[in-house]
Amino acid sequence: MDATTMNPEGRAFSIKLWPPSQTTRLLLVERMANNLSTPSIFTREYGSLSKEEVRENAKQIELYAKECSKLILEVLKRGPITKVDGAKPTSKTFNEACETVFDISKGQRAFVEAEEAEELLRPLKEPGNSYTKICFSNRSFGLGAARVAEPILASLKDQLKEVDLSDFIAGRSEGEALEVMAIFSEALEGCVLKSLDLSNNALGEKGVRAFGALLKSQSSLEELYLMNDGISEEAARAVCELIPSTEKLRVLQFHNNMTGDEGALAISEVVKQSPMLEDFRCSSTRIGSDGGVALSEALQTFTNLKNLDLRDNMFGVEAGVALSKALAKHADLTEAYLSYLNLEDEGAVAIANVLKESASALEVLEMAGNDITAEAAPALAACIAAKQLITKLNLADTELRDEGAIQISKALEDGDAQLKGVDLSSNFMRRAGARCLTRAVVHKPGLKLLNMNGNFISDEGIDEVKNIFNEFPNVLGSLDENDPEGEDDNESGEGEDEGDELESKLKNLEVHQED
C-alpha cells in the first residue's frame, strides 16, 4: 500500500508502507541474525546460538514485526479522532485490529454447515486481521463447512499460533468426521503452532492419522491436548510416530483415554523427548504396573515438572516406588495428583518420603483411594508438615482411622496459612479423629472446605465438630453420609472410649520433618 503526503515544496509524493518487499524482509531477517550471532555481553553470559537457531529465531521475530506494521498502518488509515463532549477518544478499528482470539465455541452446541460457516468465519477473511488463536470447539463441522473453512485457514498459516479443534465433529459419521479432520489438517499444515488441542473428538488411530499432515509439520509445539480421544495403543504409537519433535513441549495432556500399558510405552517415548515438560496429565488411561513403571522412568529423564496428574490408573506398588524415584528429580513440583493408583502403604510411603525432602513449593497433594492405612500415616504426616505452602490436601477414601487422622491433624496444626481445602472423607474416622482434625484447621485463615463426610462419627461427635465450626459454618462440608453406628469393627477396637484414649496418647506427638 502507498501513502500519499506532501513534501516541504508542496508536491505530492508516495511512500510505500505495506507490504514490505521480499528483499526488505530478507534484509531485516539477515540484520537480526547478525545481531543475534555477534559476540556480546549476552553471548558471554548465556552462550551463543547456533546458525540454525539464529536464523529460525530471526524469522519468528520478523513475523512480529509484520504484525506491528499492520497495526501502524491501521492507525494511519483511521486518521485523527475528535473527542465528543470531553470523552476519551477510542478506536474501534484499532481494537479490532488488536484482537488476536477468534472463538466460536460460545453458545449452544450445534451442527455447522456451509452457509452458516460462511457467516461464522467471515471475520477471518478480513484483510489485515491479527488473529493468532482460533477456537472451533463446541461446533460440529460437516463436509460443506470444512470446505468453506479450508481456504480461510490456509490463508492464516503465517499468523496462527494456537489452534483449538476440540469437540468439532460431534455427531458426524466416522467417514465424514475423518474427511473433515483431513481437510482441516491439510489446510493448517505448515503452521508454526505453539498450542494444539484435538481433545474430545474420539480420534482413535484413524483420527490421529487423519491429522497426520498437521502433526508432521509441528516441531515447535509447546502445548498438546489429546484428552478423551480414544487414544488406544495404536493411536498412541501414531502420535509418537507423526510428531517430528517435542523438544519445546511444556504441556502434554492425555486424560481419559484407553491407552493401557502398551500405549503407555509409546507415550513414555514422547515424554523422554520432551525435556521442557512442566505439565503432564495422563489420568484415567487404564495404565497398569508395566506402563506405570515405563512412564515413571521417562519422568526421570528431565527436571522441570510442575504439575503431575496420574489419577485413576492401576499402577500398584512397584510403579508407585518407581514413581517416587522420578519425583525426586522434580524440585519445582507444585501440584501432585496421585489418587486411585493402588499404591498401598509401601508405594505411598515411598512417595511421601521423597516429597518430604524435595518439592518445597508443593501446593496440592492428592493421594486419595490408594488403600492407605494408619501404617503410612507417620510418613504422610512428616511430608505434610514439611510443606508450608500446601493449599489442598486430599486423603479421602483411605483407611487412616483415628490413629492416622490424628497424626495428619498434628502435621496441619502449625503453619499452612495458605491451606484452602482438606478432604479426609471415608476414612473410618470416629469422634476422636474428627475432633482433632477440626481443631487443627478451624483457624486457618484461608480455609474454604473441610470434608469429613462418610466417616463413623457419633452424634455427639457431630455436635462437637459443628460447635467448633460455629463461627465458620460454611467451611464445614456436609456430613449427611456419616454413619454414627459405624461398622462392626472388631479388628480395630476403636470405640468412643478407645478413640479418646488414643487421642490422649497422641496429644504430645511430634511430627518430625527430618529423619
Side-chain angles (χ1 to χ4, degrees), residues 132-164:
T132 59
K133 177 179 179 178
I134 57 171
C135 178
F136 288 1
S137 182
N138 202 41
R139 299 297 182 97
S140 179
F141 279 72
L143 271 176
R147 292 189 177 111
V148 169
E150 183 177 15
I152 298 174
L153 295 178
S155 71
L156 301 175
K157 281 185 179 182
D158 289 342
Q159 64 191 67
L160 288 179
K161 300 298 177 189
E162 300 177 65
V163 170
D164 184 346

Side-chain angles (χ1 to χ4, degrees), residues 265-296:
L265 297 179
I267 295 174
S268 297
E269 292 304 312
V270 176
V271 172
K272 287 178 182 178
Q273 302 303 317
S274 307
M276 304 301 292
L277 198 60
E278 297 178 359
D279 185 335
F280 180 51
R281 187 180 186 189
C282 200
S283 49
S284 302
T285 47
R286 307 182 187 180
I287 296 174
S289 180
D290 291 344
V293 169
L295 278 179
S296 298

Side-chain angles (χ1 to χ4, degrees), residues 35-49:
N35 289 339
L36 289 170
S37 59
T38 300
S40 66
I41 58 173
F42 297 106
T43 59
R44 288 195 294 271
E45 178 72 18
Y46 303 109
S48 300
L49 301 175

Side-chain angles (χ1 to χ4, degrees), residues 71 78 90-100:
L71 295 179
R78 184 191 70 220
T90 59
S91 173
K92 181 179 179 182
T93 304
F94 183 72
N95 290 336
E96 287 176 348
C98 288
E99 191 171 0
T100 60

Side-chain angles (χ1 to χ4, degrees), residues 60 64 101 132-136 159-166 188 191-199 211 214-215 217-227 243 245 248-253:
Q60 293 297 318
Y64 285 100
V101 178
T132 59
K133 177 179 179 178
I134 57 171
C135 178
F136 288 1
Q159 64 191 67
L160 288 179
K161 300 298 177 189
E162 300 177 65
V163 170
D164 184 346
L165 298 179
S166 60
L188 293 168
C191 287
V192 183
L193 298 180
K194 294 170 61 178
S195 176
L196 177 61
D197 191 343
L198 301 177
S199 301
F211 274 112
L214 174 58
L215 293 174
S217 68
Q218 299 308 304
S219 58
S220 299
L221 275 179
E222 296 180 16
E223 301 179 9
L224 177 61
Y225 302 89
L226 294 168
M227 298 182 286
I243 301 179
S245 173
K248 297 182 180 180
L249 202 64
R250 295 183 298 102
V251 179
L252 178 61
Q253 299 203 355

